[in-house]
Amino acid sequence: FVVPAIQLNPVDVNFNKALEHGFKNSAHLQRLNISKRYNEIDIEEQEGRNAFHMTLEMTYGLEKKNHKLASLWEQFDNSNSVTLNAYVPLWDGGNRKARIEAEKMQLRRTELQIQEEQIDIENDITNAVTNLNEYYTRSKNMKRGLELVMEITIEGIDQYRDGVISLQDLLQIINRHADTEINFLNAFLGYRRSLLTLTRHTYYDFEKNVSVMDAFNLNYSQ
C-alpha cells in the first residue's frame, strides 16, 4: 500500500488582485486593446483625409551658375523661398463622413469585445475563487472527519479482536472508513484543480506568490 502524504495548505487569494492579474495577463485582452488603439489611429487618419489643411514650406539655399568650375565656389547667390499651400475641400459626396463613421463603428465594436472579454474573465475568476474556498473548507472538515473515522476503525479492530463485534460489523466500519477517505481525496483534488484553474485564468501562482511568466523566465534562465 502506498500512503500519500497530503498537505492541505490554505492559499490566501485576494479577489481584486486576482482580477487585476487576469486583466493584465490575458493575451486575448491585450490583443483587443492593441486593436482598439489601431482603430483610434484609423479614425484620426480618416479625419485628416480630404480635410482642410495648410502646408508651409521654407527653403534656404545658395546658388551659383558659372561655366568655369573654379568659379562655382565664389560669390554665391541666395536661394530662399517661402511657400504656403492651402487645401480646401469643396464637395466629396459625404465619403469622408461615411469613412469616419465606419471607423467609429469598428472602434465601438472593439470596445464591446473588450467589455465582453473582461466580463468573461471576471466570471471565470469569481467561479475559481468560490470553488477554491468551498473545496478548502470541505477538505478541512473532511480531514477532521477522517481522523475521527480512523479512531473508530482502530477501536473496531480492537473490539473484533476481543470478540465484542462480528466480522460483518468490522467490514462495515472499514467500508465507511474507505468511503470517507475517497470523499476527502475528491475534495482535496477539487481544491487543487481550483488552484490550477485560477492560475490558468490569471497567469499567477498564488501558492508561490509569483507570476507564471516570471517563474518560467527564471527556470529557463537557470
Side-chain angles (χ1 to χ4, degrees):
F1 293 92
V2 178
V3 180
I6 298 178
Q7 297 292 333
L8 184 61
N9 300 320
V11 178
D12 185 19
V13 178
N14 184 284
F15 175 78
N16 292 330
K17 196 68 175 179
L19 195 61
E20 179 181 346
H21 287 302
F23 289 160
K24 178 181 177 181
N25 300 326
S26 172
H28 183 49
L29 190 58
Q30 291 179 6
R31 287 194 298 268
L32 289 175
N33 286 325
I34 293 174
S35 298
K36 177 184 176 182
R37 182 54 186 154
Y38 276 133
N39 296 148
E40 293 172 347
I41 294 175
D42 290 339
I43 292 177
E44 295 176 358
E45 181 181 356
Q46 294 301 332
E47 288 177 345
R49 290 182 58 186
N50 294 335
F52 171 78
H53 62 272
M54 300 179 67
T55 303
L56 176 64
E57 296 181 357
M58 302 178 66
T59 62
Y60 175 80
L62 300 174
E63 293 184 357
K64 178 65 175 179
K65 294 181 180 180
N66 197 298
H67 63 281
K68 295 182 179 180
L69 181 62
S71 300
L72 290 176
W73 311 102
E74 301 175 357
Q75 298 179 357
F76 294 103
D77 296 329
N78 292 331
S79 176
N80 304 329
S81 65
V82 177
T83 303
L84 180 63
N85 296 321
Y87 176 82
V88 181
L90 298 178
W91 178 259
D92 66 351
N95 291 333
R96 175 176 175 272
K97 182 178 180 181
R99 289 196 304 268
I100 294 175
E101 290 300 323
E103 295 297 339
K104 288 183 177 180
M105 291 180 62
Q106 182 63 34
L107 174 62
R108 180 54 180 165
R109 177 185 177 186
T110 304
E111 290 175 344
L112 292 176
Q113 290 177 336
I114 291 175
Q115 294 177 6
E116 182 179 0
E117 181 65 17
Q118 289 176 338
I119 292 175
D120 291 340
I121 292 174
E122 183 175 358
N123 291 336
D124 291 336
I125 294 177
T126 300
N127 293 333
V129 172
T130 301
N131 292 335
L132 178 68
N133 295 331
E134 291 180 354
Y135 275 117
Y136 175 75
T137 302
R138 188 184 307 175
S139 300
K140 184 172 63 175
N141 294 334
M142 297 195 70
K143 185 178 182 181
R144 290 196 295 264
L146 183 60
E147 294 172 354
L148 178 61
V149 170
M150 177 68 73
E151 296 176 359
I152 295 175
T153 301
I154 295 174
E155 182 180 355
I157 293 175
D158 293 338
Q159 290 178 348
Y160 173 74
R161 183 183 298 113
D162 297 335
V164 178
I165 62 175
S166 64
L167 178 60
Q168 183 178 1
D169 294 333
L170 177 61
L171 292 177
Q172 291 178 352
I173 294 175
I174 293 176
N175 288 334
R176 286 196 296 268
H177 186 181
D179 292 339
T180 304
E181 285 185 333
I182 293 175
N183 292 334
F184 169 69
L185 182 60
N186 289 334
F188 178 76
L189 292 177
Y191 173 67
R192 298 301 307 176
R193 283 193 297 267
S194 298
L195 273 174
L196 293 176
T197 301
L198 183 61
T199 301
R200 179 166 60 88
H201 290 308
T202 60
Y203 294 89
Y204 193 87
D205 189 342
F206 287 90
E207 282 188 290
K208 300 178 181 178
N209 197 26
V210 63
S211 170
V212 173
M213 297 303 299
D214 292 341
F216 176 80
N217 293 332
L218 179 60
N219 293 331
Y220 183 77
S221 61
Q222 293 177 350

